[in-house]
Amino acid sequence: MTRRELRDGIFELLFRMEFHSEEEFEEQVRIFNELYDEKQEEIGGKSIDEEDLEYIKNKALAVYSMRDEIDAYINGVSENWKTDRMGKVDLCIIRLAYYEIKHDDDIPQKVAINEAIELAKTYGTESSGNFVNGILAKVVS
């Protein structure tokens, strides 16, 4: 999988976890894997391999386990938009990008921001790209 595909998978798993308890994490990984494989089968693609699934799972779990810390930081820099008012899609994307900016030395800040904006344009509303960009600009300043 490409980095973009991996990030997309991490986002999808994080989004799923917004609606499920931490105890259901492994079940959500299984469901994610099954849905991914079904989608790939329809388009003639390859199933996700174990290494990529482990990467997605581990990174999603790392972000998920830090969500309180991440949300506190986001709440401190955002104006008029606290995390409890943000859409789940935008929030998951911002959390993932925050993690990549602050805790993943393999990913340059600009790449994390650009990829977050692309995710927001794909999964969010018409204004999600600008919103995510605005929040992340404060994270790196």
Side-chain angles (χ1 to χ4, degrees):
M1 295 178 82
T2 66
R3 274 232 195 222
R4 181 167 280 182
E5 291 169 329
L6 290 168
R7 187 176 286 107
D8 194 76
I10 296 162
F11 161 74
E12 288 183 31
L13 193 50
L14 286 172
F15 185 75
R16 289 182 146 286
M17 291 309 297
E18 283 297 303
F19 304 97
H20 300 278
S21 69
E22 192 167 352
E23 292 78 31
E24 296 176 271
F25 183 76
E26 290 298 327
E27 177 68 8
Q28 292 307 310
V29 170
R30 186 190 63 73
I31 293 168
F32 163 79
N33 189 27
E34 285 177 5
L35 292 173
Y36 181 89
D37 286 350
E38 285 176 17
K39 187 167 104 178
Q40 291 303 306
E41 190 174 302
E42 287 176 13
I43 62 171
K46 292 195 267 180
S47 294
I48 191 168
D49 67 38
E50 283 299 315
E51 184 178 331
D52 288 341
L53 185 60
E54 275 302 303
Y55 180 84
I56 290 169
K57 177 182 165 181
N58 290 337
K59 193 156 181 183
L61 193 55
V63 175
Y64 185 79
S65 68
M66 294 183 69
R67 69 190 180 287
D68 291 340
E69 174 189 325
I70 295 170
D71 288 0
Y73 185 89
I74 293 167
N75 285 329
V77 299
S78 63
E79 297 173 18
N80 303 320
W81 280 99
K82 300 305 177 197
T83 54
D84 61 349
R85 290 189 60 217
M86 292 179 188
K88 300 284 189 203
V89 168
D90 294 347
L91 181 57
C92 289
I93 292 168
I94 292 167
R95 285 174 177 158
L96 175 55
Y98 175 95
Y99 179 86
E100 289 181 339
I101 291 166
K102 298 290 188 180
H103 300 283
D104 194 333
D105 295 334
D106 293 337
I107 300 172
Q109 286 183 353
K110 287 183 180 182
V111 171
I113 292 170
N114 288 337
E115 292 294 324
I117 293 167
E118 290 304 314
L119 278 173
K121 288 177 182 178
T122 300
Y123 293 102
T125 65
E126 192 174 301
S127 60
S128 289
N130 289 332
F131 179 73
V132 166
N133 187 37
I135 299 292
L136 294 178
K138 294 177 180 184
V139 170
V140 297
S141 62

